[in-house]
Amino acid sequence: MLTALETAIAGLAAVDDISNGIDDWFNGTAGYEALYTGGQGRAGLTVAPGETASLPFTALDPAIRTTLAGLAKAALLDRGLLTGDHASRSALALRAGETLFSSSEARTVLAGRIGTVEQQLFQAQSRNSAEKSALALTRNSLTEADPYEATVRLKDLESRLDAFYTITARLSQLSLTGYLR
């Protein structure tokens, strides 16, 4: 990005021209927007049953563009822009700071909007997790046996089986001679 920006401002020598050229590059469609490879903002993402969240934020937002312009001014100085001209470097550094300061309110508003969506997503995630846990408990109560009830039923079946074997053993020993005796 900085290389493309250096190419765009090549030949500019005055601090005002360089600063305006950087600002124009970030705000125009031929510079930053042409290099932007991100997607479009997303609206209407389903986050919970009956609830949607809008995420219209991208790096094309003016707050981000202005912030990047301020950061680019400082970064280009670090890359050697206006080397040897201390007064011009100082003036461009001042412009970078002014650009960043002027965009601070817009960044704060954007951060608030993003934070609101984050809060909505967090709340939906909490509700979804609670619902998942409740459904798992309900499924378990329907599919798993109660250990106490299972033990009682097993003992009942065991005593019935013992009684059945006892009766079967007695019946097998019955005979007419045994009865007549």
Side-chain angles (χ1 to χ4, degrees), residues 103-155:
S103 66
S104 65
E105 184 177 338
R107 275 193 317 274
T108 303
V109 169
L110 180 60
R113 291 173 54 206
I114 292 171
T116 301
V117 174
E118 284 179 332
Q119 179 65 27
Q120 179 186 8
L121 294 175
F122 177 75
Q123 289 173 343
Q125 182 182 21
S126 296
R127 283 192 308 273
N128 289 342
S129 293
E131 186 174 330
K132 181 180 176 183
S133 296
L135 289 173
L137 288 173
T138 302
R139 181 180 53 99
N140 287 343
S141 70
L142 293 174
T143 59
E144 293 182 2
D146 178 24
Y148 176 75
E149 183 181 330
T151 303
V152 169
R153 292 177 86 190
L154 185 60
K155 290 291 183 187

Side-chain angles (χ1 to χ4, degrees), residues 77-99:
L77 286 172
D78 188 52
R79 289 181 77 154
L81 184 65
L82 301 171
T83 300
D85 187 355
H86 298 296
S88 294
R89 288 177 62 81
S90 178
L92 189 58
L94 180 63
R95 290 286 177 89
E98 289 171 348
T99 303

